[in-house]
Amino acid sequence: MSEHSTDLREAVRRRYAAAALQVAEGGTGCCGPQPTGTDGALDDDIFGSALYSPDERGTLPAEAVAASLGCGNPTAVAELREGDRVLDLGSGGGIDVLLSARRVGPTGRAYGLDMTDEMLRLALANAEKAGAANVEFLKGTIEAIPLPAHAVDVVISNCVINLSVDKPAVFAETFRVLRPGGRLGVSDVVADDSLTAGQRAERGDYVGCIAGALSFTEYREGLEAAGFTDVEITPTHPVADGMHSALVRATKPLTGPDRAPLA
């Protein structure tokens, strides 16, 4: 990994460690390009817990809701089923893991993966408060998932893949841990194809989920290069000029060789 990539990853880690500590002290976390109010808060209709239904928020510990930093609700589109094993990439305070755990039931399992100790501690506390027995939180990066091949039925993520410094590795690792026929259902920030990398950076910084976003074509081609089929990318709402929160769906084919992990 280059020095620049290492610096970006550390900046992301610091941002979300600080968000976890803020929530633990009774505040709320945030993601996104820039504050929209005088108090430094972001528009709740773009990022955060308002993207979940009142019923969903009402079933969870307040700290899990406060730590919601995403740009969508991947559990609403991931088609989770009773007994599924689901992995949340960049699980943060655990909101999507806890919602997934309820949907897959006691015969299923929900894994959360995060690289930030502070978020993992918050997520474990939230799982205990929720009484969730079918969850497990793992420390690691989304570019090197600490699970064996074919370990899960579904991979979800909420506004995290755009933060990765090596997105091809994320797509390859996601493909590896999914069983044949497994599904990807994520929310992420995606840029119009007309925007250059420089123009994306003008609209927001890397740790704010903007500068590192892929374009629609780049996202599709990246997933297909990893082996995914049936790729669908559906924008849901704007987050900056020419940039959108989008729902991304894809499938790992039932047959065919697994792609080798990236070197």
Side-chain angles (χ1 to χ4, degrees):
M1 186 184 299
S2 70
E3 183 176 351
H4 178 64
S5 295
T6 300
D7 289 346
L8 282 175
R9 177 178 284 179
E10 176 58 18
V12 170
R13 189 201 65 77
R14 288 197 305 267
R15 168 76 172 264
Y16 291 92
L21 292 173
Q22 185 176 354
V23 169
E25 294 169 359
T28 58
C30 65
C31 185
Q34 59 185 7
T36 58
T38 56
D39 61 353
L42 285 151
D43 186 340
D44 288 340
D45 293 331
I46 296 177
F47 292 91
S49 61
L51 299 170
Y52 296 84
S53 72
D55 287 344
E56 289 173 318
R57 296 196 302 269
T59 64
L60 299 173
E63 293 84 357
V65 176
S68 174
L69 311 176
C71 57
N73 180 355
T75 63
V77 299
E79 299 178 7
L80 299 180
R81 303 161 188 162
E82 190 84 14
D84 272 345
R85 298 159 297 164
V86 56
L87 168 65
D88 181 18
L89 301 180
S91 49
I95 185 170
D96 293 315
V97 174
L98 297 178
L99 289 173
S100 296
R102 290 177 180 273
R103 293 181 65 180
V104 302
T107 61
R109 192 156 190 84
Y111 297 95
L113 173 63
D114 206 281
M115 68 176 181
T116 309
D117 289 330
E118 293 85 352
M119 278 296 186
L120 289 167
R121 286 195 293 270
L122 180 62
L124 286 168
N126 287 332
E128 184 175 354
K129 289 175 183 175
N134 59 337
V135 306
E136 182 176 346
F137 289 98
L138 309 169
K139 183 176 181 180
T141 69
I142 62 176
E143 298 86 3
I145 299 170
L147 285 173
H150 308 164
V152 296
D153 303 288
V154 184
V155 172
I156 64 173
S157 183
N158 196 348
C159 207
V160 171
I161 294 175
N162 67 79
L163 295 169
S164 172
V165 296
D166 189 352
K167 295 173 182 67
V170 177
F171 295 148
E173 279 289 274
T174 300
F175 191 88
R176 180 185 66 82
V177 300
L178 278 169
R179 65 164 177 78
R183 293 104 62 201
L184 172 73
V186 308
S187 297
D188 210 356
V189 174
V190 183
D192 286 343
D193 290 333
S194 60
L195 293 184
T196 65
Q199 289 170 327
R200 296 170 216 174
E202 291 171 356
R203 286 155 171 78
D205 62 9
Y206 202 97
V207 298
C209 309
I210 299 296
L214 297 174
S215 71
F216 284 90
T217 296
E218 289 166 345
Y219 220 118
R220 177 180 297 278
E221 291 179 346
L223 288 171
E224 291 175 345
F228 284 98
T229 59
D230 304 321
V231 178
E232 299 177 7
I233 306 174
T234 307
T236 58
H237 58 272
V239 299
D241 184 24
M243 306 191 71
H244 316 268
S245 173
L247 301 175
V248 182
R249 299 179 178 90
T251 304
K252 180 173 180 174
L254 279 169
T255 59
D258 276 337
R259 301 297 174 94
L262 296 180

